[in-house]
Amino acid sequence: MCEELGFEKLLGEEGFFARLLGRTPSGAGRDLLYGPDLPVVLLTGGPGMGKGRLLRAVRDRFAAKVPVIHLDCASPVYADRADPEPGARSATTEALVEVARRLCTWQGTGGPFAFPRLFPGLAMIATGVTEGTPEAVATEAERYEGLAQKQRLRGLGTGDFWRGVLRGAIRNLLTTLSGQALDPYSAAVSNALLDALFERLAPRGRAELERLYGAYPGAAGQPRIGLRILAADFRAGGEAREVAESFLFRALREDLEAAYASPSGWLRRVGRPALLLDHAESPLGERLLRAVLTDRRAGQRDRVVIVGTARRSDGGAFLHGGLPPEEATPPAEYRPADGAPPAWSRRTDEATDRAPLADGVVLLRMPLLTGDQLRRETVRRQQRAEPEGGTNRRRIDAAVARLSGGRPHTVIRLSAAAAAFRMPADANDRAILDAPLRLHGDDTPERPVADVLLRELILDQLPVRLPTEHQAQWLDLLSHLSVAHDPECADVLLRHHQSGHVHHLTAHHVSQLLTDTGWPACERHFIGDFGLRQLLVHRLYGLRPGGAAWYADHHLLRDHYARRAAGEAPDAQGDGAFRSLTAHRMNHHLVSGGADDVVSHLAATLPGRPGAWCADLLEIAQAPYPGGADARRERAQGLVAADGPPLRRTVDQLLHAVWLCEERTRPTGKETARTLAKLLDLLSIMDFEGAGRLSRTATDWSGLAENEQPLLRCTCTEQLRRRR
């Protein structure tokens, strides 16, 4: 996988990250972007947009020049490390300790860092160990001794914060209590630990602890009290623990700030340190983001660059204080295609403690690949395989572009799978999804690229708030929902496929979970991302032999809307993605084997209403084609014998021509444009009321088809059009 594909401008010598970090990949200085009040930068985009790939590229490019720490907030390792001592550790504290330990070994300009402010807080929460005895507390606190001061010579500290050597001092003082009969968590243990800490402090260190831990909520300027409350809050769990964890994160950032702001740091250190939070939508990531955003809103200032990932397009619901999306003020945003990053400053029109956390954020919209970038990637992959003719390569390029929508990860996977793949003649783009792919460094057998993408885009990126009881069926539910258009038909499918389950997801729940995961919405398709929908349609058709699962879902929806429309006027208004209930029913009937019935319906309803009829035709024909042989092109061109009078035969051909255009998974071009124009012109000279008005439609539709434009626009087809 090309780690920098699509990110070249962001990572370059004059790019966004060089200015944010104040250093280029080659080591040259750059004028700093933003500051001294720094925003948190959130990379926004759904699965496959390359957020994690960009963070890794930033680490790899810049970590030799400035301190850059990459943290995977979804990794179970932090919770696993905390598990042996749940009263003295948490996933958050273990993540902070890992960050500090990595920086303690930094070998770049300015040398390693030390964390004398963070250390006392970690040592105090050690009093929550399970046994609670002096020996157990000493053993836990000694896990963090290496963070307290830089070691210039073996066993000798720098002495600018702590006097002498800490190692062993805590154990020596605590073990004096070991012969006493103390209850676990006795105040005497905490007092002895505080004595051990404060006895070793130099005057500067004492002043710093008084300033920092004296500011802990409820400490009233007394650092010993602040440390005791911090430890008690941590043991209490819940929101109290989050306050303590947030304060420890502040202490870590203050240690970093002090390392840069001191006279020696000002002379020796360059740029800004950075913390890169991958999967920051996870509970651990959200806690870290909330902590730094709350501190900075309250006036805390530090130079640590925080870059996180966000699946939701608004950065995350927690940023907006519970406001619904239509009422929330969006954060500042930066789209790399727009050129220079936006100016940013914190809003000051609200009370500081009530301002939404979104005020402290800049959203970096992850870029889709341009057509040129996409073509270069497919060509690069194909050069490694047997050379194919230009026609096949262009067909592969078009299929990858349409199925990926420019989503970088999907482009990379499809391009790799298509390297030695030859598109069948007149194939639907979905044919490429069966191309075999073996992942680099993976010993498992080749798998269809569709299976790889479904694993990576859905199963490996389940919604954070998806209830456990629904995780096993999430992919199946989405596959069935790929044929749904609006919440009503989504609920019909969900009720059917969750029958027998105690807990049910509704269309509203699924829609929210898709939004939280970063998938876009569309007013005409319940699965609003075109490429994801094609993957799911492909899977649904293959779930059972002969596409039985596909046909069953469409029959279910066809019958539902037939019952709803019973007794109503033929043009009864719909309340979702379709203008009428009949059009919605006919759409599902068309794609489940009822093409002849749909033709009869269209032929009967055309006279006298050409405008409304054209709208119905487009809605009925906006549907994927099932698997198997595709005779639509031949039927559109009149090469398949059809019964009935000229009006019915012409409508039959036109329906199949429009269906080809509306499916959006194969080229249309001049041939289909000419077919559309010819058929509509034929209808325009027939003897029925309003026929002549179809002549203008012939011009409009053929022009769109010739330029590969959708005849019926919606959000997802517009996105697809812009990627061409």
Side-chain angles (χ1 to χ4, degrees):
M1 181 183 293
C2 180
E3 285 296 306
E4 298 182 6
L5 176 64
F7 304 144
E8 295 85 356
K9 291 183 179 180
L10 287 168
L11 299 169
E13 296 284 303
E14 303 296 332
F16 176 79
F17 286 100
R19 292 191 59 198
L20 192 63
L21 299 172
R23 217 72 181 163
T24 70
S26 65
R30 284 290 177 269
D31 291 339
L32 290 170
L33 182 66
Y34 309 130
D37 183 10
L38 272 179
V40 168
V41 176
L42 294 181
L43 314 180
T44 65
M49 286 303 297
K51 303 180 296 297
R53 187 163 58 89
L54 178 55
L55 288 187
R56 292 191 298 271
V58 171
R59 175 198 62 195
D60 295 344
R61 276 234 181 178
F62 291 90
K65 305 302 178 184
V66 289
V68 175
I69 302 299
H70 178 278
L71 207 65
D72 183 357
C73 298
S75 171
V77 66
Y78 307 114
D80 291 345
R81 292 175 187 170
D83 186 61
E85 287 291 353
R89 307 175 196 171
S90 69
T92 302
T93 61
E94 290 302 300
L96 295 179
V97 169
E98 177 162 321
V99 171
R101 283 178 175 153
R102 290 192 204 172
L103 289 169
C104 283
T105 61
W106 163 250
Q107 297 300 313
T109 305
F113 294 81
F115 297 89
R117 296 162 184 80
L118 174 63
F119 171 70
L122 292 173
M124 280 301 295
I125 67 172
T127 59
V129 292
T130 303
E131 293 184 19
T133 62
E135 295 90 339
V137 171
T139 299
E140 182 69 12
E142 284 175 341
R143 294 180 73 227
Y144 313 119
E145 279 187 325
L147 307 179
Q149 55 188 352
K150 289 187 288 186
Q151 302 295 313
R152 290 183 176 171
L153 298 173
R154 183 174 179 81
L156 179 63
T158 60
D160 59 348
F161 202 99
W162 304 89
R163 284 198 301 263
V165 182
L166 273 174
R167 186 161 299 281
I170 291 174
R171 176 165 295 278
N172 290 339
L173 282 170
L174 288 178
T175 52
T176 62
L177 301 173
S178 60
Q180 302 180 31
L182 299 173
D183 294 329
Y185 317 122
S186 166
V189 178
S190 296
N191 290 336
L193 178 56
L194 287 170
D195 289 341
L197 292 171
F198 280 84
E199 181 181 287
R200 315 301 295 181
L201 284 172
R204 174 173 172 268
R206 185 179 297 276
E208 278 294 281
L209 289 198
E210 287 176 355
R211 179 191 63 79
L212 178 61
Y213 289 99
Y216 192 84
Q222 301 298 313
R224 287 174 176 257
I225 295 176
L227 284 163
R228 287 195 187 96
I229 298 175
L230 182 147
D233 284 349
F234 191 86
R235 286 196 299 271
E239 292 183 7
R241 173 170 284 198
E242 290 184 15
V243 172
E245 292 170 337
S246 175
F247 203 87
L248 292 172
F249 190 18
R250 181 193 303 182
L252 182 149
R253 299 195 313 277
E254 291 218 11
D255 279 322
L256 289 174
E257 179 63 23
Y260 279 82
S262 67
S264 61
W266 184 81
L267 291 171
R268 300 172 59 214
R269 297 195 185 276
V270 296
R272 289 170 171 157
L275 179 57
L276 311 179
L277 302 176
D278 199 1
H279 300 109
E281 68 280 351
S282 66
L284 169 59
E286 184 174 315
R287 284 195 293 272
L288 293 174
L289 291 176
R290 189 187 296 274
V292 68
L293 287 167
T294 302
D295 280 348
R296 289 179 179 176
R297 179 178 65 181
Q300 297 288 332
R301 298 291 174 259
D302 61 78
R303 71 189 70 204
V304 181
V305 170
I306 307 290
V307 183
T309 61
R311 293 178 180 179
R312 285 177 59 112
S313 61
D314 61 4
F318 78 99
L319 297 175
H320 304 285
L323 292 175
E326 61 273 13
E327 296 181 23
T329 302
E333 67 175 51
Y334 169 45
R335 296 181 184 272
D338 295 340
W344 178 87
S345 60
R346 192 176 297 277
R347 297 187 182 99
T348 57
D349 56 348
E350 295 190 55
T352 301
D353 60 345
R354 294 200 304 271
L357 296 179
D359 285 0
V361 167
V362 170
L363 303 179
L364 194 162
R365 303 295 190 190
M366 294 299 293
L368 295 164
L369 295 185
T370 65
D372 286 342
Q373 288 171 326
L374 190 151
R375 283 186 286 273
R376 284 198 298 271
E377 179 66 8
T378 56
V379 168
R380 183 178 74 85
R381 300 280 183 172
Q382 288 180 337
Q383 286 175 346
R384 301 177 181 178
E386 292 293 327
E388 294 285 359
T391 300
N392 183 66
R393 195 197 71 244
R394 288 191 294 272
R395 186 68 182 87
I396 292 288
D397 287 349
V400 172
R402 276 190 287 265
L403 291 181
S404 70
R407 194 173 292 269
H409 185 80
T410 309
V411 169
I412 291 166
R413 291 291 190 237
L414 290 177
S415 297
F421 183 76
R422 190 170 189 86
M423 289 289 284
D426 198 31
N428 186 294
D429 291 345
R430 289 195 297 274
I432 203 174
L433 296 176
D434 288 321
L437 177 68
R438 175 177 285 116
L439 300 181
H440 178 69
D442 194 338
D443 295 332
T444 59
E446 289 182 330
R447 291 177 290 161
V449 66
D451 293 350
V452 175
L453 286 170
L454 289 169
R455 162 63 59 183
E456 294 175 333
L457 299 181
I458 296 180
L459 296 178
D460 290 347
Q461 302 196 55
L462 294 174
V464 173
R465 292 175 176 81
L466 177 65
T468 304
E469 60 268 20
H470 296 296
Q471 292 179 3
Q473 65 171 160
W474 180 242
L475 178 56
D476 282 341
L477 289 179
L478 291 186
S479 299
H480 292 295
L481 290 172
S482 65
V483 305
H485 295 92
D486 53 31
E488 180 183 344
C489 54
D491 271 327
V492 172
L493 291 164
L494 287 168
R495 284 193 296 271
H496 177 77
H497 290 290
Q498 295 177 105
S499 62
H501 292 258
V502 175
H503 301 285
H504 283 201
L505 289 172
T506 67
H508 174 72
H509 294 146
V510 175
S511 179
Q512 286 297 111
L513 291 167
L514 289 171
T515 298
D516 287 347
T517 311
W519 293 109
C522 176
E523 67 277 13
R524 290 191 177 275
H525 302 91
F526 188 79
I527 303 294
D529 182 84
F530 182 85
L532 175 63
R533 192 165 67 250
Q534 300 308 314
L535 276 170
L536 294 169
V537 162
H538 180 78
R539 181 178 184 271
L540 176 63
Y541 193 82
L543 274 181
R544 289 161 55 191
W550 155 285
Y551 288 110
D553 282 343
H554 281 293
H555 289 160
L556 179 70
L557 293 172
R558 177 201 64 188
D559 295 345
H560 169 79
Y561 286 102
R563 289 191 296 271
R564 276 205 60 193
E568 298 187 27
D571 58 349
Q573 293 296 303
D575 54 3
F578 288 78
R579 297 171 65 252
S580 72
L581 298 174
T582 299
H584 201 159
R585 174 172 65 90
M586 287 294 171
N587 171 276
H588 293 291
H589 195 31
L590 171 67
V591 299
S592 59
D596 288 338
D597 290 341
V598 174
V599 170
S600 298
H601 165 78
L602 288 171
T605 56
L606 171 55
R609 51 189 300 274
W613 184 86
C614 286
D616 288 345
L617 173 60
L618 292 182
E619 288 189 343
I620 291 169
Q622 50 140 6
Y625 192 77
D630 186 353
R632 285 179 299 173
R633 192 178 301 276
E634 289 80 4
R635 196 158 172 175
Q637 293 173 348
L639 302 178
V640 176
D643 297 329
L647 174 61
R648 190 186 189 285
R649 294 198 304 270
T650 307
V651 168
D652 187 313
Q653 291 179 241
L654 180 61
L655 169 64
H656 288 84
V658 172
W659 194 359
L660 281 168
C661 292
E662 287 303 274
E663 190 189 18
R664 314 295 297 149
T665 57
R666 64 178 64 237
T668 51
K670 294 182 179 180
E671 180 187 81
T672 307
R674 286 193 295 267
T675 300
L676 278 176
K678 173 186 172 182
L679 295 171
L680 284 163
D681 281 337
L682 279 175
L683 288 175
S684 73
I685 60 175
M686 289 186 180
D687 186 18
F688 60 82
E689 182 184 350
R693 290 157 58 187
L694 294 174
S695 182
R696 173 63 183 270
T697 305
T699 301
D700 294 343
W701 286 10
S702 63
L704 292 170
E706 184 171 349
N707 290 281
E708 304 281 351
Q709 302 294 321
L711 305 184
L712 179 63
R713 298 181 183 277
C714 62
T715 299
C716 65
T717 57
E718 281 295 286
Q719 292 171 343
L720 185 65
R721 180 181 67 86
R722 287 194 293 268
R723 299 316 313 153
R724 294 186 63 250

